Amino acid sequence: LVTARILKRNGIEPIVFEKDNDMGGVWSYSPEGVNPMYRGLRTNLPRELMAYREYAWGGDGKTRSFVTHREVKDYLRRYTEAMDIERFIQYSSTVTKLEIIKKTECDNDSSKEEEEEEWPRIKLEWETTTSAKKEDIFDAVCICNGHYASPSNPIIPGVDEHFKGDVMHSISYDDPSIFKDKVVLCVGGRASGSDLAREISQHAKHVYLSDTTCVSAKTEDNVSWVPKTLEVLPSSKISFGGNYDEAPEIDVMIYCSGYEYQFPFIEDNHLNLSVIPGERRVSPLFEQLWHAQYPSLAFLGLQHSVVPFPFFELQAEAIVSQLLNKSLPPRNVRMSSAEKDANSRGPKNPGRIQDTHFLGSFQWDECLKYAKYAGIDEQEELQKYISTSKAIYDHAGKERKSLFPGGPDTYRYNSYIRDDNKSTFQCHPLEIMDSEEESNTITDSQPAAVSSSI
């Protein structure tokens, strides 16, 4: 959506291929479908932080900043209408093949040949529900298919041989009541694992949340935060790492272990695209955005643990600016940079191959880098915006991480007000209701606001 908006803003009318029959992508919840969205999901980032720069959201200090998936879908709908971009979307259109078009040998214009070699055109084939296969050639293609469709399952010795319970991935989760009186293990302690553990604990007999970052196990009520799941023993009991000596019997094991990248429509050998299951790494990419050899092909939104919408917005601005100005470094520089990046193991030290596209608190430098490619990095307004976003992100993260994993999510009862002009924000804690399901309307308890400035 935002890429279409930025293209339109620069006088380019795009075509958007959407495989579903409605906008919203991953935020389109359906109880019948299999997708990462589940009925009780609320964001773990405040809406004031999630909003696109040119389309503000929330900020009243009276209603909850951490919103439901329905509210996110509604925001995207309003954005689409306000920016007048739905007319570019071709729904129920599934791209089946992407192919780089090599330069034409009969073209005697050497300057045009060089540009076509450096920024080649791209042929797409797609299918619709109402017509036969179609194809066309484009000057550039932006891949915005996300990375929440292909589940990544951990390798746990003994699961296939010894485990007598049920195994599922969080992509299939929707209704916590089906786990009534069961003993459940959530494997993975990041956002989905802790949120599922919290929801399921309201119905289950006991929930174990297995987290590789857990050093010392801890239990609150019927939730146990435990170290890494090591194996399933011949008795079907679960062995955990660290100092946790208990080996509980589990009824249901839920993999909350994330997703793989996938581009089933890319088979072009000219691209030499590497997407190996288990690695969660895509290469060769320059700045984790452009194909290093053919920058007319771009991959938006590969990085994870970021504030998605405004991050994508800056990526789109960088892409469109380069499409118009073509000022990226030479190919040899891009290829060398891409190889170095692919072997970097991400920004953490020590890192892992699986952390290649991780950002977290490192995302703000990445935002400024994309802003530089877009030619807007020196804008004072943008710098203040990023400073305010970082402050809210750090505050919300500190609030979340101070809580017991899988326990009450009291941080979600905050309401933020951002002031980009002063690089400040306010956070108003709201009254916590007894039953979140009974009402989405939370009243302001009107305590003193928490303020922060950079």
Side-chain angles (χ1 to χ4, degrees), residues 311-368:
F311 190 83
F312 302 162
E313 190 173 27
L314 281 168
Q315 286 189 317
E317 288 172 308
I319 289 170
V320 175
S321 177
Q322 292 303 315
L323 282 175
L324 296 173
N325 302 310
K326 295 183 171 59
S327 59
L328 290 178
R331 177 181 297 171
N332 64 318
V333 175
R334 300 196 306 265
M335 294 297 289
S336 176
S337 174
E339 182 179 3
K340 180 180 179 181
D341 187 53
N343 295 318
S344 68
R345 295 176 175 262
K348 296 190 292 187
N349 188 17
R352 308 175 303 156
I353 289 177
Q354 293 85 350
D355 294 327
T356 300
H357 301 302
F358 167 83
L359 280 178
S361 61
F362 299 94
Q363 67 186 285
W364 312 111
D365 287 340
E366 201 80 353
C367 286
L368 289 171

Side-chain angles (χ1 to χ4, degrees), residues 61-64 409-410 412-415 428-436 439-447:
K62 297 180 180 180
T63 54
R64 293 176 69 171
D409 58 341
T410 53
R412 284 190 168 107
Y413 290 85
N414 284 334
S415 186
H428 294 264
L430 307 180
E431 180 182 349
I432 299 176
M433 306 293 285
D434 291 335
S435 175
E436 180 177 333
S439 174
N440 284 328
T441 304
I442 309 300
T443 58
D444 192 348
S445 57
Q446 298 181 339

Side-chain angles (χ1 to χ4, degrees), residues 163-278:
F163 189 61
K164 299 177 182 178
D166 297 322
V167 178
M168 60 182 287
H169 190 276
S170 60
I171 196 172
S172 300
Y173 171 82
D174 187 50
D175 181 7
S177 67
I178 68 172
F179 302 101
K180 180 176 174 58
D181 298 330
K182 294 184 181 294
V183 180
V184 179
L185 167 62
C186 294
V187 181
R190 293 180 66 84
S192 62
S194 58
D195 282 345
L196 264 61
R198 173 181 51 80
E199 283 199 359
I200 293 171
S201 69
Q202 303 303 309
H203 304 271
K205 180 179 180 181
H206 200 92
V207 177
Y208 293 88
L209 176 60
S210 178
D211 185 353
T212 56
T213 68
C214 176
V215 177
S216 181
K218 183 179 180 182
T219 297
E220 289 190 5
D221 297 325
N222 65 335
V223 178
S224 293
W225 184 49
V226 297
K228 180 180 179 179
T229 301
L230 296 182
E231 64 174 324
V232 178
L233 303 173
S235 62
S236 188
K237 294 183 177 181
I238 308 298
S239 173
F240 298 106
N243 62 349
Y244 198 76
D245 297 327
E246 296 182 31
E249 293 185 1
I250 301 296
D251 296 313
V252 183
M253 188 183 306
I254 306 177
Y255 294 150
C256 307
S257 45
Y259 298 84
E260 303 281 359
Y261 296 101
Q262 63 169 0
F263 310 100
F265 46 85
I266 295 181
E267 299 177 358
D268 191 342
N269 291 330
H270 292 305
L271 290 170
N272 295 315
L273 194 70
S274 175
V275 189
I276 299 174

Side-chain angles (χ1 to χ4, degrees), residues 401-417:
K401 294 172 183 177
S402 69
L403 302 173
F404 176 69
D409 58 341
T410 53
Y411 78 94
R412 284 190 168 107
Y413 290 85
N414 284 334
S415 186
Y416 287 87
I417 302 175

